[in-house]
Amino acid sequence: MGPERKLYQKLKKNFTDISLIRLENNSLLGTPDLLGYNNSGHFFTIELKVTSGNRLKFSPHQISFHVRHPKNSFIIAEALGPGTKKLIYMYSGSRIMELDACGLKLDACCLGLDACRLWLDQLGA
């Protein structure tokens, strides 16, 4: 099982009040990895990233998606490498350009699984 799939499994296990659907899309490049739906009736997308350092790698298509869809789109990243804080970071998709330039040094809107879950659960509430 790849690292992004393991991250997805962590989210699925911990985000019990949020419906997460894994999107496997080879025809529309840049489509985020997950479609989410919360109890307030709001849909959102999540791009998953796992890194061994502080830098995140995005394809031009992924950047384009988040630039074109800045609302209710998120990037959740996990740092696993030596010298990194072993945390889950969440960023708004509207900050993709800054995130691409600064990596995990950019201030996240949420740190940790519980904080991310609460943020997404309260979208639209």
Side-chain angles (χ1 to χ4, degrees), residues 71-91:
K71 294 183 180 178
N72 291 341
S73 67
F74 299 91
I75 297 116
I76 293 182
E78 183 175 31
L80 298 176
T84 62
K85 295 179 183 175
K86 309 272 189 292
L87 288 173
I88 304 288
Y89 300 77
M90 188 169 83
Y91 300 89

Side-chain angles (χ1 to χ4, degrees), residues 10-120:
K10 281 184 196 177
L11 297 181
K12 190 118 171 117
K13 180 180 174 185
N14 288 283
F15 290 16
T16 55
D17 290 340
I18 297 172
S19 172
L20 292 175
I21 301 163
R22 189 155 171 85
L23 301 174
E24 301 289 341
N25 195 336
N26 294 327
S27 59
L28 290 174
L29 300 175
T31 301
D33 299 306
L34 303 176
L35 176 65
Y37 183 77
N38 69 14
N39 286 333
S40 298
H42 281 79
F43 284 99
F44 52 90
T45 61
I46 301 172
E47 179 65 41
L48 299 176
K49 291 292 176 186
V50 177
T51 182
S52 59
N54 287 319
R55 183 144 168 71
L56 297 171
K57 296 178 185 173
F58 295 100
S59 74
H61 299 289
Q62 289 170 326
I63 292 171
S64 177
F65 179 91
H66 289 284
V67 167
R68 287 191 342 252
H69 306 94
K71 294 183 180 178
N72 291 341
S73 67
F74 299 91
I75 297 116
I76 293 182
E78 183 175 31
L80 298 176
T84 62
K85 295 179 183 175
K86 309 272 189 292
L87 288 173
I88 304 288
Y89 300 77
M90 188 169 83
Y91 300 89
S92 171
S94 64
R95 300 191 73 196
I96 186 107
M97 299 298 282
E98 295 168 272
L99 188 55
D100 188 49
C102 300
L104 298 179
K105 293 177 182 173
L106 184 68
D107 288 334
C109 63
C110 294
L111 287 174
L113 280 172
D114 288 339
C116 295
R117 178 184 47 78
L118 287 171
W119 182 285
L120 294 171

